[in-house]
Short mmCIF file of all heavy atoms in Angstrom, two decimals:
data_model
loop_
_atom_site.label_atom_id
_atom_site.label_comp_id
_atom_site.label_asym_id
_atom_site.label_seq_id
_atom_site.Cartn_x
_atom_site.Cartn_y
_atom_site.Cartn_z
N MET A 1 87.87 68.41 135.22
CA MET A 1 88.30 69.78 135.00
C MET A 1 88.76 69.91 133.56
O MET A 1 89.58 69.14 133.10
CB MET A 1 89.43 70.11 135.97
CG MET A 1 89.97 71.49 135.83
SD MET A 1 91.17 71.79 137.13
CE MET A 1 91.12 73.52 137.15
N PRO A 2 88.24 70.90 132.81
CA PRO A 2 88.62 71.05 131.41
C PRO A 2 90.06 71.54 131.26
O PRO A 2 90.59 72.23 132.13
CB PRO A 2 87.63 72.08 130.87
CG PRO A 2 87.16 72.82 132.06
CD PRO A 2 87.23 71.86 133.22
N ALA A 3 90.66 71.15 130.17
CA ALA A 3 92.04 71.56 129.90
C ALA A 3 92.06 73.04 129.53
O ALA A 3 91.17 73.55 128.87
CB ALA A 3 92.62 70.73 128.77
N ILE A 4 93.11 73.72 129.97
CA ILE A 4 93.27 75.14 129.63
C ILE A 4 93.68 75.28 128.17
O ILE A 4 93.18 76.13 127.46
CB ILE A 4 94.31 75.79 130.57
CG1 ILE A 4 93.79 75.78 131.99
CG2 ILE A 4 94.62 77.21 130.11
CD1 ILE A 4 94.77 76.26 133.01
N ILE A 5 94.59 74.44 127.73
CA ILE A 5 95.05 74.47 126.34
C ILE A 5 94.26 73.43 125.57
O ILE A 5 94.20 72.27 125.97
CB ILE A 5 96.56 74.18 126.26
CG1 ILE A 5 97.34 75.24 127.05
CG2 ILE A 5 97.03 74.13 124.82
CD1 ILE A 5 98.81 74.97 127.17
N PRO A 6 93.63 73.84 124.46
CA PRO A 6 92.86 72.85 123.70
C PRO A 6 93.77 71.76 123.13
O PRO A 6 94.97 71.93 123.03
CB PRO A 6 92.21 73.68 122.59
CG PRO A 6 92.95 74.94 122.55
CD PRO A 6 93.60 75.14 123.88
N ASP A 7 93.16 70.67 122.74
CA ASP A 7 93.90 69.54 122.21
C ASP A 7 94.44 69.88 120.82
O ASP A 7 93.69 69.88 119.84
CB ASP A 7 93.00 68.31 122.15
CG ASP A 7 93.77 67.06 121.83
OD1 ASP A 7 94.99 67.03 122.10
OD2 ASP A 7 93.16 66.13 121.31
N VAL A 8 95.72 70.25 120.74
CA VAL A 8 96.36 70.58 119.47
C VAL A 8 97.62 69.74 119.33
O VAL A 8 98.11 69.17 120.30
CB VAL A 8 96.72 72.08 119.37
CG1 VAL A 8 95.47 72.93 119.36
CG2 VAL A 8 97.64 72.50 120.50
N SER A 9 98.15 69.71 118.14
CA SER A 9 99.37 68.94 117.93
C SER A 9 100.53 69.61 118.65
O SER A 9 100.57 70.84 118.78
CB SER A 9 99.67 68.82 116.44
OG SER A 9 100.09 70.06 115.92
N PRO A 10 101.49 68.84 119.11
CA PRO A 10 102.64 69.42 119.81
C PRO A 10 103.45 70.38 118.94
O PRO A 10 103.96 71.38 119.45
CB PRO A 10 103.48 68.20 120.19
CG PRO A 10 102.52 67.06 120.20
CD PRO A 10 101.50 67.38 119.16
N LEU A 11 103.53 70.12 117.64
CA LEU A 11 104.27 71.02 116.75
C LEU A 11 103.58 72.37 116.67
O LEU A 11 104.24 73.42 116.75
CB LEU A 11 104.39 70.39 115.36
CG LEU A 11 105.10 71.26 114.32
CD1 LEU A 11 106.53 71.52 114.73
CD2 LEU A 11 105.03 70.60 112.97
N LEU A 12 102.27 72.38 116.53
CA LEU A 12 101.52 73.63 116.46
C LEU A 12 101.64 74.41 117.77
O LEU A 12 101.82 75.63 117.75
CB LEU A 12 100.06 73.35 116.15
CG LEU A 12 99.17 74.56 115.92
CD1 LEU A 12 99.66 75.38 114.75
CD2 LEU A 12 97.75 74.12 115.69
N LEU A 13 101.57 73.71 118.89
CA LEU A 13 101.72 74.37 120.18
C LEU A 13 103.11 74.96 120.34
O LEU A 13 103.26 76.10 120.81
CB LEU A 13 101.43 73.38 121.31
CG LEU A 13 101.53 73.93 122.73
CD1 LEU A 13 100.50 75.03 122.94
CD2 LEU A 13 101.36 72.82 123.74
N ALA A 14 104.14 74.24 119.93
CA ALA A 14 105.51 74.74 120.02
C ALA A 14 105.70 75.96 119.14
O ALA A 14 106.33 76.94 119.55
CB ALA A 14 106.49 73.64 119.64
N MET A 15 105.16 75.93 117.93
CA MET A 15 105.28 77.09 117.04
C MET A 15 104.53 78.29 117.61
O MET A 15 105.00 79.43 117.53
CB MET A 15 104.75 76.73 115.65
CG MET A 15 105.65 75.80 114.90
SD MET A 15 105.02 75.16 113.34
CE MET A 15 104.18 76.50 112.60
N ASP A 16 103.38 78.06 118.21
CA ASP A 16 102.58 79.12 118.80
C ASP A 16 103.33 79.77 119.97
O ASP A 16 103.43 81.00 120.04
CB ASP A 16 101.25 78.54 119.27
CG ASP A 16 100.29 79.58 119.76
OD1 ASP A 16 100.35 80.71 119.27
OD2 ASP A 16 99.46 79.24 120.62
N LEU A 17 103.85 78.97 120.86
CA LEU A 17 104.58 79.51 122.01
C LEU A 17 105.87 80.21 121.59
O LEU A 17 106.26 81.22 122.18
CB LEU A 17 104.86 78.40 123.02
CG LEU A 17 103.62 77.81 123.69
CD1 LEU A 17 104.02 76.67 124.60
CD2 LEU A 17 102.86 78.87 124.44
N THR A 18 106.52 79.70 120.55
CA THR A 18 107.73 80.35 120.04
C THR A 18 107.40 81.72 119.47
O THR A 18 108.12 82.69 119.71
CB THR A 18 108.39 79.47 118.97
OG1 THR A 18 108.71 78.21 119.53
CG2 THR A 18 109.65 80.12 118.43
N GLY A 19 106.30 81.82 118.75
CA GLY A 19 105.88 83.11 118.21
C GLY A 19 105.57 84.12 119.29
O GLY A 19 105.96 85.29 119.19
N ILE A 20 104.90 83.69 120.34
CA ILE A 20 104.59 84.58 121.46
C ILE A 20 105.89 85.05 122.13
O ILE A 20 106.04 86.22 122.46
CB ILE A 20 103.66 83.88 122.47
CG1 ILE A 20 102.29 83.67 121.84
CG2 ILE A 20 103.53 84.69 123.76
CD1 ILE A 20 101.36 82.82 122.65
N PHE A 21 106.84 84.13 122.30
CA PHE A 21 108.13 84.49 122.90
C PHE A 21 108.87 85.50 122.03
O PHE A 21 109.43 86.47 122.55
CB PHE A 21 108.97 83.22 123.09
CG PHE A 21 110.36 83.50 123.58
CD1 PHE A 21 110.58 83.86 124.89
CD2 PHE A 21 111.43 83.42 122.71
CE1 PHE A 21 111.86 84.12 125.35
CE2 PHE A 21 112.72 83.68 123.15
CZ PHE A 21 112.93 84.03 124.47
N ILE A 22 108.86 85.31 120.72
CA ILE A 22 109.57 86.22 119.82
C ILE A 22 108.96 87.61 119.85
O ILE A 22 109.68 88.61 119.85
CB ILE A 22 109.59 85.65 118.38
CG1 ILE A 22 110.40 84.35 118.33
CG2 ILE A 22 110.13 86.66 117.39
CD1 ILE A 22 111.85 84.50 118.68
N PHE A 23 107.62 87.70 119.88
CA PHE A 23 106.98 89.01 119.98
C PHE A 23 107.39 89.72 121.27
O PHE A 23 107.68 90.92 121.26
CB PHE A 23 105.45 88.88 119.93
CG PHE A 23 104.89 88.98 118.56
CD1 PHE A 23 104.63 87.85 117.81
CD2 PHE A 23 104.60 90.21 118.00
CE1 PHE A 23 104.10 87.94 116.55
CE2 PHE A 23 104.07 90.33 116.74
CZ PHE A 23 103.82 89.18 116.00
N GLY A 24 107.43 89.01 122.38
CA GLY A 24 107.87 89.61 123.64
C GLY A 24 109.33 90.03 123.60
O GLY A 24 109.71 91.09 124.11
N LEU A 25 110.16 89.21 122.97
CA LEU A 25 111.59 89.52 122.86
C LEU A 25 111.82 90.77 122.01
O LEU A 25 112.63 91.62 122.37
CB LEU A 25 112.31 88.32 122.26
CG LEU A 25 113.82 88.36 122.28
CD1 LEU A 25 114.34 88.37 123.70
CD2 LEU A 25 114.37 87.16 121.53
N THR A 26 111.11 90.90 120.90
CA THR A 26 111.28 92.10 120.07
C THR A 26 110.80 93.35 120.80
O THR A 26 111.40 94.42 120.66
CB THR A 26 110.55 91.96 118.73
OG1 THR A 26 109.17 91.71 118.97
CG2 THR A 26 111.14 90.86 117.89
N GLY A 27 109.73 93.23 121.57
CA GLY A 27 109.27 94.38 122.35
C GLY A 27 110.29 94.78 123.40
O GLY A 27 110.55 95.97 123.62
N GLY A 28 110.90 93.80 124.04
CA GLY A 28 111.93 94.09 125.05
C GLY A 28 113.17 94.73 124.44
O GLY A 28 113.73 95.68 125.00
N THR A 29 113.60 94.23 123.30
CA THR A 29 114.79 94.82 122.66
C THR A 29 114.50 96.23 122.15
O THR A 29 115.37 97.09 122.19
CB THR A 29 115.31 93.95 121.51
OG1 THR A 29 114.26 93.71 120.58
CG2 THR A 29 115.85 92.64 122.01
N LEU A 30 113.27 96.47 121.70
CA LEU A 30 112.90 97.82 121.28
C LEU A 30 112.95 98.78 122.47
O LEU A 30 113.43 99.91 122.34
CB LEU A 30 111.50 97.80 120.67
CG LEU A 30 110.97 99.12 120.15
CD1 LEU A 30 111.77 99.57 118.94
CD2 LEU A 30 109.50 98.98 119.78
N ALA A 31 112.48 98.34 123.61
CA ALA A 31 112.51 99.18 124.80
C ALA A 31 113.93 99.46 125.25
O ALA A 31 114.26 100.59 125.65
CB ALA A 31 111.73 98.51 125.93
N VAL A 32 114.81 98.47 125.19
CA VAL A 32 116.20 98.69 125.58
C VAL A 32 116.88 99.65 124.60
O VAL A 32 117.68 100.50 125.00
CB VAL A 32 116.95 97.33 125.65
CG1 VAL A 32 118.44 97.52 125.77
CG2 VAL A 32 116.42 96.51 126.81
N ARG A 33 116.55 99.53 123.33
CA ARG A 33 117.14 100.41 122.33
C ARG A 33 116.75 101.86 122.57
O ARG A 33 117.51 102.77 122.30
CB ARG A 33 116.68 99.98 120.94
CG ARG A 33 117.60 100.44 119.85
CD ARG A 33 117.23 99.93 118.48
NE ARG A 33 116.81 98.54 118.49
CZ ARG A 33 115.95 98.03 117.63
NH1 ARG A 33 115.40 98.78 116.70
NH2 ARG A 33 115.62 96.75 117.69
N HIS A 34 115.55 102.08 123.13
CA HIS A 34 115.10 103.43 123.44
C HIS A 34 115.45 103.83 124.87
O HIS A 34 114.94 104.83 125.38
CB HIS A 34 113.59 103.56 123.21
CG HIS A 34 113.23 103.61 121.77
ND1 HIS A 34 113.40 104.73 121.00
CD2 HIS A 34 112.75 102.65 120.94
CE1 HIS A 34 113.01 104.48 119.76
NE2 HIS A 34 112.62 103.20 119.70
N ARG A 35 116.28 103.04 125.52
CA ARG A 35 116.82 103.31 126.87
C ARG A 35 115.74 103.49 127.93
O ARG A 35 115.78 104.40 128.75
CB ARG A 35 117.74 104.52 126.85
CG ARG A 35 118.94 104.32 125.99
CD ARG A 35 119.80 105.56 125.95
NE ARG A 35 120.87 105.38 125.00
CZ ARG A 35 122.14 105.38 125.34
NH1 ARG A 35 122.49 105.56 126.58
NH2 ARG A 35 123.06 105.22 124.42
N LEU A 36 114.74 102.63 127.91
CA LEU A 36 113.71 102.65 128.94
C LEU A 36 114.21 101.90 130.18
O LEU A 36 115.10 101.06 130.09
CB LEU A 36 112.42 102.00 128.43
CG LEU A 36 111.75 102.69 127.24
CD1 LEU A 36 110.52 101.92 126.82
CD2 LEU A 36 111.38 104.12 127.56
N ASP A 37 113.60 102.19 131.32
CA ASP A 37 113.95 101.48 132.54
C ASP A 37 113.31 100.09 132.52
O ASP A 37 112.64 99.72 131.56
CB ASP A 37 113.52 102.27 133.77
CG ASP A 37 112.03 102.54 133.81
OD1 ASP A 37 111.35 102.24 132.82
OD2 ASP A 37 111.56 103.05 134.84
N ILE A 38 113.51 99.32 133.58
CA ILE A 38 113.03 97.94 133.62
C ILE A 38 111.51 97.88 133.53
O ILE A 38 110.95 96.98 132.89
CB ILE A 38 113.56 97.18 134.86
CG1 ILE A 38 113.23 95.69 134.78
CG2 ILE A 38 113.02 97.78 136.14
CD1 ILE A 38 113.95 94.97 133.70
N PHE A 39 110.82 98.86 134.13
CA PHE A 39 109.36 98.89 134.05
C PHE A 39 108.91 99.12 132.61
O PHE A 39 108.00 98.46 132.12
CB PHE A 39 108.80 99.98 134.97
CG PHE A 39 107.31 100.06 134.96
CD1 PHE A 39 106.54 99.09 135.57
CD2 PHE A 39 106.67 101.09 134.30
CE1 PHE A 39 105.16 99.14 135.54
CE2 PHE A 39 105.29 101.17 134.27
CZ PHE A 39 104.53 100.19 134.89
N GLY A 40 109.56 100.03 131.92
CA GLY A 40 109.23 100.30 130.52
C GLY A 40 109.51 99.11 129.63
O GLY A 40 108.76 98.83 128.70
N VAL A 41 110.59 98.40 129.92
CA VAL A 41 110.93 97.20 129.15
C VAL A 41 109.83 96.15 129.32
O VAL A 41 109.37 95.54 128.35
CB VAL A 41 112.30 96.64 129.57
CG1 VAL A 41 112.55 95.28 128.96
CG2 VAL A 41 113.41 97.61 129.18
N MET A 42 109.39 95.93 130.56
CA MET A 42 108.36 94.92 130.82
C MET A 42 107.03 95.31 130.18
O MET A 42 106.36 94.47 129.58
CB MET A 42 108.18 94.72 132.33
CG MET A 42 109.39 94.14 133.01
SD MET A 42 109.89 92.55 132.34
CE MET A 42 108.52 91.55 132.81
N VAL A 43 106.66 96.58 130.27
CA VAL A 43 105.39 97.02 129.69
C VAL A 43 105.41 96.87 128.18
O VAL A 43 104.47 96.35 127.58
CB VAL A 43 105.09 98.49 130.09
CG1 VAL A 43 103.97 99.07 129.26
CG2 VAL A 43 104.76 98.58 131.57
N LEU A 44 106.50 97.29 127.54
CA LEU A 44 106.57 97.20 126.09
C LEU A 44 106.65 95.75 125.62
O LEU A 44 106.05 95.38 124.61
CB LEU A 44 107.76 98.00 125.56
CG LEU A 44 107.76 98.26 124.06
CD1 LEU A 44 106.47 98.94 123.62
CD2 LEU A 44 108.94 99.12 123.68
N ALA A 45 107.36 94.91 126.35
CA ALA A 45 107.44 93.49 125.99
C ALA A 45 106.06 92.84 126.09
O ALA A 45 105.67 92.07 125.22
CB ALA A 45 108.44 92.77 126.88
N LEU A 46 105.32 93.16 127.15
CA LEU A 46 103.98 92.59 127.30
C LEU A 46 103.02 93.15 126.27
O LEU A 46 102.16 92.43 125.76
CB LEU A 46 103.46 92.84 128.71
CG LEU A 46 104.16 92.04 129.82
CD1 LEU A 46 103.65 92.48 131.19
CD2 LEU A 46 103.96 90.56 129.63
N ALA A 47 103.18 94.44 125.93
CA ALA A 47 102.30 95.04 124.94
C ALA A 47 102.54 94.44 123.56
O ALA A 47 101.61 94.25 122.78
CB ALA A 47 102.52 96.55 124.90
N ARG A 48 103.78 94.10 123.24
CA ARG A 48 104.09 93.48 121.95
C ARG A 48 103.62 92.02 121.92
O ARG A 48 103.29 91.51 120.88
CB ARG A 48 105.59 93.52 121.67
CG ARG A 48 106.15 94.87 121.35
CD ARG A 48 105.90 95.20 119.94
NE ARG A 48 106.52 94.19 119.08
CZ ARG A 48 106.58 94.29 117.79
NH1 ARG A 48 106.06 95.31 117.20
NH2 ARG A 48 107.14 93.34 117.09
N ARG A 49 103.62 91.38 123.06
CA ARG A 49 103.25 89.96 123.14
C ARG A 49 101.74 89.78 123.10
O ARG A 49 101.25 88.76 122.64
CB ARG A 49 103.83 89.38 124.43
CG ARG A 49 103.58 87.90 124.60
CD ARG A 49 103.95 87.45 125.99
NE ARG A 49 103.15 88.03 127.03
CZ ARG A 49 101.95 87.59 127.39
NH1 ARG A 49 101.40 86.59 126.77
NH2 ARG A 49 101.29 88.16 128.37
N TRP A 50 100.99 90.74 123.59
CA TRP A 50 99.55 90.62 123.75
C TRP A 50 98.83 90.21 122.45
O TRP A 50 98.01 89.28 122.48
CB TRP A 50 98.99 91.94 124.29
CG TRP A 50 97.58 91.81 124.75
CD1 TRP A 50 96.47 91.92 123.98
CD2 TRP A 50 97.13 91.53 126.06
NE1 TRP A 50 95.35 91.73 124.74
CE2 TRP A 50 95.73 91.49 126.02
CE3 TRP A 50 97.77 91.30 127.26
CZ2 TRP A 50 94.96 91.25 127.14
CZ3 TRP A 50 97.02 91.07 128.38
CH2 TRP A 50 95.63 91.03 128.32
N PRO A 51 99.06 90.87 121.28
CA PRO A 51 98.32 90.46 120.08
C PRO A 51 98.61 89.02 119.66
O PRO A 51 97.72 88.31 119.21
CB PRO A 51 98.80 91.43 119.00
CG PRO A 51 99.35 92.59 119.73
CD PRO A 51 99.86 92.05 121.04
N ALA A 52 99.85 88.59 119.83
CA ALA A 52 100.18 87.20 119.46
C ALA A 52 99.46 86.23 120.36
O ALA A 52 98.95 85.20 119.91
CB ALA A 52 101.69 87.01 119.54
N ALA A 53 99.37 86.53 121.64
CA ALA A 53 98.70 85.63 122.58
C ALA A 53 97.19 85.62 122.33
O ALA A 53 96.56 84.58 122.43
CB ALA A 53 99.00 86.04 124.01
N CYS A 54 96.63 86.77 122.00
CA CYS A 54 95.18 86.82 121.74
C CYS A 54 94.83 86.05 120.47
O CYS A 54 93.83 85.34 120.43
CB CYS A 54 94.73 88.26 121.62
SG CYS A 54 94.71 89.12 123.19
N CYS A 55 95.63 86.21 119.44
CA CYS A 55 95.35 85.51 118.18
C CYS A 55 95.58 84.01 118.33
O CYS A 55 94.94 83.21 117.64
CB CYS A 55 96.23 86.05 117.07
SG CYS A 55 95.78 87.73 116.61
N ALA A 56 96.46 83.62 119.21
CA ALA A 56 96.76 82.20 119.38
C ALA A 56 95.61 81.46 120.03
O ALA A 56 95.42 80.28 119.78
CB ALA A 56 98.02 82.04 120.23
N THR A 57 94.82 82.14 120.84
CA THR A 57 93.74 81.47 121.53
C THR A 57 92.44 81.47 120.75
O THR A 57 91.47 80.87 121.19
CB THR A 57 93.50 82.13 122.90
OG1 THR A 57 93.19 83.51 122.71
CG2 THR A 57 94.71 81.98 123.79
N CYS A 58 92.39 82.14 119.62
CA CYS A 58 91.15 82.18 118.80
C CYS A 58 90.90 80.87 118.12
O CYS A 58 91.71 80.14 117.77
CB CYS A 58 91.25 83.29 117.77
SG CYS A 58 91.24 84.91 118.53
#
């Protein structure tokens, strides 16, 4: 069975996952600042995280 994550260095993988987490965190804080409900917070956090996750897999 092929690996889901390609063979990369642990440092690069850690930096990649940290960046994805930070994008999601900033989206969530932006949603809270605009007083959105929990659904709005989740949607905005995922929408902010999506470009980082897509670029990470290229």
Side-chain angles (χ1 to χ4, degrees):
M1 179 174 202
I4 295 174
I5 299 174
D7 189 24
V8 295
S9 71
L11 178 62
L12 185 60
L13 181 62
M15 289 173 39
D16 187 30
L17 294 177
T18 301
I20 292 171
F21 175 75
I22 295 297
F23 268 95
L25 190 64
T26 58
T29 55
L30 181 67
V32 168
R33 202 175 319 151
H34 286 283
R35 298 178 186 243
L36 297 178
D37 59 353
I38 189 67
F39 181 73
V41 170
M42 295 302 293
V43 167
L44 194 55
L46 290 174
R48 288 280 301 187
R49 183 190 65 82
W50 192 274
C54 288
C55 291
T57 59
C58 292

